[in-house]
Amino acid sequence: MRTLMAVVAMVVAVAFVATVVEANQCPLLIKQLKDGTAKISDAKTKGEVEKMIAEAQKLHDEGKHADSVKKCEEAAKVAGIKLEMKKS
Ligand SMILES: [Cu+2]
C-alpha cells in the first residue's frame, strides 16, 4: 500500500511538472514567432503567420498547451522560422 501511494505521488508530480513546462513553452515559442514575423517582407505570409500566432495564443490561454505548441510549429514552418524548444 505504501509503495502504491509513493508511485501515485510520483506520477502526479511528474504530470504536474510536465504541465508547467508545457505551459511555459508556448509564450516562449510565440515570442520567437513574433520576433521572426517582423522580418517577413511578404505581406500575405506575414498576415497568415500572425493569424496562426493569435490562434496559438488563444489555445495557450485556454490551457490547450500541446495544441498551442503544434500551432506554433505550423506557424514557424509557414514563416520559415526555426523555433528553439525549451529543454525539459
Ligand atoms: Cu501554453
Side-chain angles (χ1 to χ4, degrees):
M1 203 56 192
R2 192 171 268 246
T3 315
L4 179 68
M5 274 175 52
V7 168
V8 169
M10 187 90 123
V11 169
V12 169
V14 168
F16 178 72
V17 169
T19 307
V20 170
V21 168
E22 271 195 352
N24 288 330
Q25 179 91 273
C26 329
L28 220 85
L29 298 181
I30 288 167
K31 195 190 170 296
Q32 287 175 48
L33 286 169
K34 279 184 178 164
D35 291 346
T37 310
K39 293 172 202 141
I40 300 174
S41 50
D42 183 60
K44 193 170 163 279
T45 307
K46 198 170 182 169
E48 210 173 307
V49 174
E50 277 171 348
K51 217 174 95 188
M52 290 167 103
I53 295 172
E55 280 172 40
Q57 179 70 57
K58 191 168 164 280
L59 287 165
H60 168 70
D61 291 342
E62 288 168 357
K64 297 170 188 161
H65 304 296
D67 290 337
S68 178
V69 170
K70 250 182 247 161
K71 185 59 78 178
C72 286
E73 283 169 350
E74 273 177 48
K77 226 178 268 175
V78 174
I81 299 168
K82 186 152 182 359
L83 292 177
E84 278 186 41
M85 294 288 176
K86 202 161 90 176
K87 304 279 185 296
S88 53

